Amino acid sequence: MSLTLYYHPLSSFCWKVLIALYENGTPFKPLSINLGDPEERGALLKLWPVGKFPVLRDDARDRTVPESSIIIDYLDRYYSGHTRFTPADGDAAWQTRLKDRFYDLYVHLPTQAIVGNRLRPADAKDPRGVEEAKARLRASYDMIEAEMATKTWAMGESFTIADCAASPSLYYANKVLPFRDSHRHAAAYLDRLMARPAFTRVLEEAKPYAHMFPAE
Ligand SMILES: N[C@@H](CCC(=O)N[C@@H](CS)C(=O)NCC(=O)O)C(=O)O
């Protein structure tokens, strides 16, 4: 098996790539990294000095691929399967990538900021940053609500990289700023994502670690 994924079962950006791998049944070796363990963190830093996961190592092609969107692009190109994550058509391609960026930058990152604030010591909290992140999320929820009134997946009828990005970001966003009562189309979209077998599997595998998610 040539692919190894450096990841953690609770990490939201790792979920995005796991969904893509499970979607196509791509064989890979999962290597869970505990960032609190200096040796395991060192192994990750050696591959990608930024120190963030997911990182994919492909021994067959002697490539190290960081960044969730880039990993999915790489899988689409060299280990493609039934689900193609970015359409070949030019306009559909850039629109799909735009949605991938939207979910990462305007749903996932503000969510991460709110979760990150929960992990800060009491004397280092950033209430202003949290308020800004919540305002960003509210604006994003409104956009998603309008979009998903008429669509099954982010791009319409095909499941793409944008849905891989939407799955963890909406799942965790709903935990830090719930939207089920205020945005019913966005909530129905999250339900569809959670019922997709690849994401259901990711959620099941994360269950033993769920207690590590910081409450308030
Ligand atoms: N832009 C990156 C973001 C990756 C990221 O933020 N990963 C988090 C886990 S969800 C991480 O590694 N956090 C550990 C740290 O920042 O030290 C991607 O798309 O892969």
Side-chain angles (χ1 to χ4, degrees), residues 64-142:
T64 297
V65 190
E67 290 292 316
S68 56
S69 298
I70 310 305
I71 294 171
I72 294 175
D73 283 349
Y74 184 89
L75 293 171
D76 224 7
R77 179 172 290 254
Y78 296 110
Y79 295 87
S80 64
H82 175 262
T83 299
R84 299 307 302 256
F85 296 105
T86 301
D89 171 71
D91 273 330
W94 71 255
Q95 287 163 2
T96 303
R97 291 306 248 113
L98 175 61
K99 289 240 187 304
D100 170 71
R101 296 294 71 226
F102 169 79
Y103 277 105
D104 273 12
L105 299 175
Y106 306 124
V107 182
H108 210 145
L109 291 191
T111 300
Q112 225 180 27
I114 296 167
V115 175
N117 187 66
R118 290 181 181 181
L119 294 167
R120 289 178 176 215
D123 61 353
K125 297 285 184 197
D126 177 17
R128 186 175 171 163
V130 168
E131 275 323 301
E132 284 169 1
K134 286 187 174 173
R136 171 64 67 200
L137 279 180
R138 283 188 201 98
S140 297
Y141 290 169
D142 289 347

Side-chain angles (χ1 to χ4, degrees), residues 11-13 35 41 52-54 67-68 112:
S11 148
S12 47
F13 276 103
L35 289 174
R41 188 184 185 85
K52 287 185 184 283
F53 41 39
E67 290 292 316
S68 56
Q112 225 180 27

